[in-house]
């Protein structure tokens, strides 16, 4: 089984191809360029370097959210376009669950956090049992203090990772009462290889969808949508 995976949910752009239990290629960039500039060239570079016939892919996996609204749309559009062109199924992988898979079989709790602005994080809490990832708290948008309270209440050691760590590190260090640590630099951001590995499990469980069915999971409305709703509300109040 061969899976192409894409992740553009956050600061990182990442693409990977796995075949059975082999990671054939992974290309990851975290730099000052938009994902629309990097994702397709990265994929083309992978295709050329491993002499990939795109028609041999069995499925296309995509980090489905939460994350950056623009990044998720780029990843979703790319995956949908490939799925339609190649007539291949899509596998939507929760962003935070894939990030937790970076720390396979780590003891205790795994807590990925993505900066969601407005003093919130996109986060979930995970752990490995019998070499399988378990969802302790499903992914959601919440305040950092609420997350810290949950971690403390669970009473187990925790590892934090994600682009929210630099933003909220001081609060974590000050308020977390259980033993904790931060993931090392090579494992602390999104990786398409992890998306692909989790997608292989989803594929065997029948968790696939058509390209037409796929929608990103934003978890909350965008700033533009919030501003539009507020503007419409004011206009309605003005006309009363």
């Amino acid at each position: 089984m061969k899976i192409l995976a894409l992740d553009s949910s956050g600061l990182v752009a990442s693409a990977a191809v796995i075949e059975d239990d082999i990671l054939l290629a992974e290309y990851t960039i975290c730099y000052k360029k938009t994902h629309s500039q990097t994702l397709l060239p990265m994929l083309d570079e992978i295709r050329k370097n491993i002499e990939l016939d795109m028609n041999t892919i069995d499925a296309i996996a995509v980090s489905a959210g939460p994350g950056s609204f623009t990044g998720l749309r780029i990843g979703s559009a790319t995956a949908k376009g490939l799925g339609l062109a190649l007539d291949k199924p899509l596998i939507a992988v929760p962003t935070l669950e894939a990030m937790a898979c970076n720390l396979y079989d780590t003891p205790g709790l795994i807590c990925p956090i993505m900066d969601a602005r407005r003093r919130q994080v996109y986060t979930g809490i995970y752990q490995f049992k019998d070499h399988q990832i378990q969802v302790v708290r499903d992914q959601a948008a919440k305040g950092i203090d609420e997350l810290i309270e949950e971690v403390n209440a669970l009473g187990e050691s925790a590892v934090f990772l994600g682009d929210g760590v630099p933003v909220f590190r001081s609060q974590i260090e000050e308020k977390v009462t259980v033993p904790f640590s931060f993931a090392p630099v090579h494992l602390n951001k999104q990786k398409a290889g992890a998306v692909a590995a989790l997608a292989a499990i989803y594929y065997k469980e029948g968790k696939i969808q058509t390209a037409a069915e796929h929608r990103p999971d934003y978890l909350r409305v965008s700033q533009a949508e919030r501003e539009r709703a507020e503007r419409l509300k004011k206009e309605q109040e003005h006309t009363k």
Side-chain angles (χ1 to χ4, degrees):
M1 181 173 59
K2 190 179 293 182
I3 294 175
L4 165 67
L6 305 171
D7 194 325
S8 58
S9 60
L11 299 175
V12 169
S14 187
V17 176
I18 65 168
E19 185 171 12
D20 299 326
D21 293 327
I22 300 172
L23 176 63
L24 297 179
E26 184 177 56
Y27 194 157
T28 299
I29 292 179
C30 186
Y31 195 62
K32 305 170 185 177
K33 291 186 177 180
T34 64
H35 296 325
S36 59
Q37 293 176 289
T38 57
L39 200 58
L40 283 175
M42 288 163 56
L43 177 56
D44 190 50
E45 196 68 22
I46 285 176
R47 182 188 61 78
K48 289 187 292 185
N49 275 285
I50 64 172
E51 301 176 348
L52 175 65
D53 179 352
M54 297 292 284
N55 290 299
T56 64
I57 292 169
D58 293 293
I60 299 157
V62 60
S63 179
S68 155
F69 289 89
T70 301
L72 289 175
R73 289 185 182 116
I74 291 169
S76 174
T78 303
K80 286 166 74 74
L82 290 169
L84 289 168
L86 299 171
D87 192 24
K88 302 294 182 181
L90 265 60
I91 307 170
V93 176
T95 300
L96 295 157
E97 190 171 341
M99 290 175 68
C101 282
N102 286 354
L103 304 179
Y104 175 79
D105 257 5
T106 296
L109 305 175
I110 303 171
C111 191
I113 54 175
M114 299 174 67
D115 184 14
R117 312 299 179 189
R118 297 188 297 153
R119 294 192 58 76
Q120 284 195 320
V121 291
Y122 295 125
T123 187
I125 301 176
Y126 307 89
Q127 64 183 177
F128 280 88
K129 289 187 176 179
D130 299 322
H131 314 297
Q132 301 293 324
I133 192 167
Q134 306 289 322
V135 178
V136 179
R137 295 287 187 274
D138 205 357
Q139 57 184 25
K142 62 185 64 176
I144 187 64
D145 288 332
E146 181 184 351
L147 170 64
I148 290 172
E149 287 178 6
E150 289 182 354
V151 171
N152 288 339
L154 289 167
E156 297 185 51
S157 62
V159 183
F160 294 89
L161 68 154
D163 62 37
V165 168
V167 180
F168 297 105
R169 185 175 186 127
S170 61
Q171 287 176 256
I172 292 170
E173 291 175 334
E174 179 183 348
K175 297 180 179 180
V176 172
T177 57
V178 297
F180 69 91
S181 61
F182 299 105
V185 65
H186 64 295
L187 298 172
N188 67 1
K189 298 288 193 304
Q190 290 89 332
K191 293 172 70 70
V195 174
L198 193 54
I201 297 172
Y202 276 30
Y203 187 91
K204 292 174 183 177
E205 294 174 348
K207 296 179 181 178
I208 60 175
Q209 55 188 189
T210 66
E213 290 172 331
H214 175 69
R215 297 289 185 279
D217 184 6
Y218 297 113
L219 285 187
R220 69 182 194 193
V221 298
S222 68
Q223 181 178 348
E225 291 170 315
R226 290 196 306 273
E227 291 174 350
R228 180 176 181 273
E230 290 171 2
R231 186 173 64 252
L232 290 174
K233 182 179 179 181
K234 289 179 181 178
E235 289 173 357
Q236 291 171 352
E237 290 174 347
H238 183 71
T239 57
K240 287 181 180 179

